[in-house]
Amino acid sequence: MKNLFVKIAAAGLLMLAPAIAQAAEGFSTANVNMRAGPSTRYPAVAVIPAGSSVEIRGCLSEVNWCDVEFYGGRGWVSGQYVQALYQQRRVYVGPQYYRPLGIPMIRFSVDNYWDRYYRNRDFYRDRDRWSRGSDYYYRDRDYRDRDRDRDRDNRDRDRSWRERDGDRDGRDRDRDWRDDNQRDDRQRDDRQRGERQRDDRRGDDRRPDRRDFDCRPGDPSCDE
């Protein structure tokens, strides 16, 4: 008799198992992003059009986000954009309706969830950073952006310095060239002026030589 009761109980559990595992039916109330995690910071994986049917696989207890299935894809949508039919009326999915609607409360793990559904996505390569939390990922990205901006500013500043130094060097070269030319001109002028002065002095000092004119007979200057 005991074995009979055990078999009946096991059969009952098997009959109830599909009902327990079955997802709750819902629909989106707006064009909403289905995301890779329970936050607007996670990457969007699809857009669910308003009025589209979704299967609610489970929701978080601490925040109003639910794991849903849409056209074979999986992702997370805020409960404020998902409604379900409860007692002949539509209600937004919230913690107070999880149990009546048969929605299990679940937990979210980036590693397990992304391994299962997002291996072929580009953002999967950043899984290690995302696994620390969306806030950490964005903070880390902000730091990288800040470092990249600082490096770019440093490169721009270095380039400006090089260009400014190059302009200064060019001006210095032009000034040196002009100074050299002016110095050469002054030296040439001084040389020419000195030559003219020497020529003038030679002309003043030159006296007629006796041999430069014919001596007249009886001229005492011709006698030696």
Side-chain angles (χ1 to χ4, degrees):
M1 182 65 67
K2 184 176 180 180
N3 291 336
L4 179 60
F5 285 132
V6 172
K7 291 180 180 179
I8 293 174
L13 290 175
L14 290 174
M15 293 177 63
L16 289 174
I20 294 174
Q22 185 177 1
E25 296 294 331
F27 60 91
S28 62
T29 60
N31 295 334
V32 62
N33 284 318
M34 183 169 68
R35 296 186 175 273
S39 169
T40 55
R41 287 180 173 268
Y42 285 99
V45 296
V47 176
I48 303 176
S52 298
S53 176
V54 296
E55 295 184 359
I56 306 171
R57 296 293 183 179
C59 297
L60 299 177
S61 59
E62 61 273 14
V63 291
N64 190 20
W65 279 78
C66 297
D67 176 19
V68 303
E69 182 175 352
F70 175 68
Y71 276 96
R74 290 287 288 272
W76 292 81
V77 177
S78 172
Q80 63 182 335
Y81 296 108
V82 179
Q83 286 186 335
L85 190 62
Y86 175 68
Q87 294 182 352
Q88 305 303 316
R89 62 189 179 94
R90 294 177 176 179
V91 296
Y92 282 96
V93 175
Q96 68 273 29
Y97 296 110
Y98 291 171
R99 185 180 295 276
L101 292 172
I103 300 174
M105 286 187 292
I106 59 176
R107 301 179 64 86
F108 172 70
S109 168
V110 167
D111 293 334
N112 295 334
Y113 200 86
W114 285 25
D115 281 345
R116 186 176 300 174
Y117 301 114
Y118 300 136
R119 283 184 173 274
N120 61 338
R121 297 280 186 160
D122 291 339
F123 55 79
Y124 181 81
R125 62 174 175 265
D126 296 326
R127 182 189 60 170
D128 291 339
R129 288 203 304 271
W130 280 107
S131 63
R132 303 178 188 179
S134 58
D135 291 338
Y136 179 90
Y137 173 81
Y138 274 88
R139 183 170 61 251
D140 185 45
R141 191 182 66 176
D142 291 341
Y143 289 156
R144 294 196 306 274
D145 292 343
R146 185 190 60 190
D147 293 341
R148 184 170 59 250
D149 292 341
R150 184 173 61 245
D151 292 341
R152 183 172 59 248
D153 292 341
N154 290 337
R155 289 194 298 271
D156 293 342
R157 187 166 54 251
D158 291 342
R159 183 169 59 251
S160 298
W161 287 347
R162 289 195 299 270
E163 291 174 353
R164 186 168 59 249
D165 292 342
D167 294 340
R168 186 171 58 247
D169 292 341
R171 289 194 298 270
D172 292 342
R173 282 195 300 272
D174 292 341
R175 186 170 57 250
D176 293 341
W177 181 80
R178 289 195 300 270
D179 293 343
D180 291 341
N181 288 339
Q182 291 174 357
R183 185 170 56 254
D184 292 341
D185 292 340
R186 285 195 301 271
Q187 291 175 352
R188 184 170 58 252
D189 293 341
D190 293 342
R191 187 167 53 253
Q192 292 175 353
R193 187 165 52 251
E195 290 175 354
R196 285 195 300 270
Q197 291 175 353
R198 285 195 298 273
D199 291 341
D200 292 341
R201 284 197 300 272
R202 285 198 299 270
D204 295 340
D205 295 341
R206 189 170 59 241
R207 296 290 184 269
D209 196 320
R210 290 184 303 216
R211 291 168 298 187
D212 292 341
F213 58 90
D214 295 336
C215 293
R216 295 179 180 180
D219 189 345
S221 62
C222 295
D223 296 336
E224 295 192 358

